[in-house]
Amino acid sequence: MKFWQRFNKNTFRGMAASLVVAAAVMGGTDAALAAGEPVTEEQTKIISASLLQAGGTVFPIGNDNNAAYARYFTGQSFLFPMANDTVSVSNVTFAPSCINNWHTHSGSCQVLVGVSGRGYYQIWGQDPVEMKAGESVTIPEGTKHWHGAAGNSWFQHLSIMSKGAGTTWLEPVDQNVYRQLK
């Protein structure tokens, strides 16, 4: 079974429930939301305000990623590994204008889930696509792509791949093209 076939709508519902539980713990929101009850507009406002008070993120920012990966990123980034049994899950934080080089992954697709802020991803030969919190994309194995923050926004995403997947780093993204993104 391919890695991406392991995910279905219930997987992402589980992730969403985990996010709601984390927000409830930080902001005192009714933990019953995690039991699958619909979130009201008022509850959404409370959760959003709680996240802002906690620095705008549900997950820890993690450690400075530049020591190991500075040559593959255009600015400051941070990495917080969250799971690594059979699936590697990490929260990646990009400072404004920080993006990574073009790259491919072997041994796995890469699922990106927007957590906070605003960013972009681009698959080779396609237009860049804006990404915000709650949005996700599956990058097929072996597909040349890049991702990172918008020029004026911090950006966090979860990176989900099979344990042991590899990354081949390629050339930097054309900065003239990147600067044209809104």
Side-chain angles (χ1 to χ4, degrees):
M1 173 182 286
K2 295 281 187 184
F3 172 73
W4 62 268
Q5 292 173 321
R6 297 178 197 167
F7 294 96
N8 60 37
K9 62 183 176 184
N10 292 326
T11 303
F12 293 104
R13 284 185 185 151
M15 286 181 186
S18 298
L19 293 174
V20 171
V21 169
V25 169
M26 289 189 301
T29 306
D30 186 350
L33 292 175
E37 296 178 16
V39 179
T40 67
E41 186 174 331
E42 183 60 30
Q43 290 165 327
T44 301
K45 288 178 185 176
I46 292 168
I47 292 168
S48 296
S50 297
L51 291 173
L52 285 174
Q53 289 174 354
T57 182
V58 175
F59 302 111
I61 291 173
N63 295 321
D64 186 333
N65 202 24
N66 285 1
Y69 295 99
R71 65 181 179 252
Y72 307 120
F73 287 74
T74 61
Q76 185 72 45
S77 66
F78 302 87
L79 182 67
F80 180 72
M82 296 169 48
N84 206 2
D85 296 340
T86 58
V87 176
S88 174
V89 180
S90 294
N91 184 47
V92 185
T93 302
F94 298 85
S97 296
C98 177
I99 61 173
N100 53 33
N101 287 3
W102 289 101
H103 61 283
T104 62
H105 298 289
S106 58
S108 180
C109 66
Q110 182 180 37
V111 177
L112 302 175
V113 181
V115 174
S116 169
R118 191 170 68 85
Y120 289 93
Y121 73 90
Q122 183 178 12
I123 293 174
W124 185 259
Q126 299 179 15
D127 290 334
V129 177
E130 183 179 42
M131 212 174 167
K132 298 177 187 171
E135 297 176 347
S136 65
V137 61
T138 300
I139 309 290
E141 178 180 357
T143 300
K144 186 175 178 178
H145 68 288
W146 65 265
H147 37 97
N152 62 354
S153 176
W154 284 83
F155 180 58
Q156 289 185 311
H157 68 58
L158 297 180
S159 170
I160 307 167
M161 298 194 307
S162 293
K163 182 178 179 178
T167 302
T168 301
W169 292 103
L170 305 168
E171 72 274 9
V173 173
D174 182 335
Q175 286 298 302
N176 292 325
V177 174
Y178 172 73
R179 282 198 241 8
Q180 293 176 16
L181 300 174
K182 304 259 181 219

